[in-house]
Amino acid sequence: MKILGIETSCDETGAAVIEAGIGEKSVNLLSNSLASSLVLHSKTGGIIPEVAAREQVKFMIPVLEEALKNTSLDEIDAVAVTVGPGLIGSLLVGVETAKTLSFIYKKPIIPVNHLFGHIYANFIEQGQEDIEFPALALIVSGGHTDLVLIKTHKDIKWLGGTRDDAAGEAFDKTGRLLNLPYPAGPLIEKLSKNSSKDLYKFPRPLIDSKDYDFSFSGLKTAVLREVQKIKTMDDQTISNLCFSLQAAIFDVLISKTLRAAKEYNVKSILLGGGVAANQTLKEKFEDKIKDYPNTKFFVPQKKLCTDNAAMIAAAAFFNNDTYLWKNVNANPELYFD
Ligand code: KG4
Ligand code: ZN
């Protein structure tokens, strides 16, 4: 089965073709095209939805053409598209494109929840039997921090999530305090490497709470308090602050994920979302997972952690209820149900 995926939920415009259900791999990636309006948002220190939506309109057709360079639309079995959550103006560009293709080429549509996409990025180029259930997914992106239990592809249960800022948001908002460009996550990771000691010992919010909720909004206040005390902000001080911030966020993420892994006796842990692109997070998880010999750990390739259309097509393959174009709508508030 060949699926064309389309992703336009935020500031990335993606189109990808996957082939699944044959061969040794769960999902084969045939093409993965992506354009981003990130540079524009860097200038404004955050995403302006109207600007993101206009860029989506500009990028959609060229990105689609590139993804379909070696596959004709006649070969495609279904069009998968992100219907939410996300920015409504951006989502509509992808959804209307999918509906148009569906109408003209008579292809069914598979609507995809963007958050499921981040989970299913793990299945791309992975062996058929590698990921075993029950699995636990930790989605850590700019908009979301969620822990999800996957018993089967049809039985996916939300265990908990952030009560305020998402993990990526904590990186981005603290980055702004430190005058780092948006999105600050990748730079905070890089600068942290120039430090090796958790000097500031920021709070680890909700680390011992019995639930699987997270709360990261207090961290930026804790960093702000330290910043206000510092007389000269040199490069080493910034690196030390980045190191301590990263350590606080990752301690909470890892501790709660491993507790859930134990409680539900999971066979696999899957990471997803932009923050999962962080190598330090991956290494810390790999280190701790050694104490769980029956649990395998998966992180998608870096470019599949951040938003892309291949993950949307992959999610569609495993949850493939098809819809007629007229019954598909964007839903910015979509969540786990
Ligand atoms: O998944 P994503 O591309 O978009 C959303 O769906 O939100 O995630 C973007 C988020 C941003 O907050 C960015 O700062 C963060 O992921 N991020 C990182 C890294 N790369 C991206 N955070 C920490 N370390 C990274 N290397
Ligand atoms: Zn995302």
Side-chain angles (χ1 to χ4, degrees), residues 280-298:
T280 312
L281 178 64
K282 184 177 174 218
E283 284 159 20
K284 281 191 169 198
F285 253 114
E286 280 168 348
D287 186 48
K288 298 273 182 198
I289 213 101
K290 286 182 194 141
D291 300 333
Y292 295 70
N294 299 322
T295 309
K296 290 196 272 181
F297 176 63
F298 299 87

Side-chain angles (χ1 to χ4, degrees), residues 114 118 141-143 168-169 171-172 183-186 189 273-275 277-278 305-307:
H114 180 84
H118 279 304
S141 71
E169 210 175 346
F171 275 100
D172 298 337
E189 173 178 21
V275 181
N278 187 300
C305 286
T306 44
D307 290 351

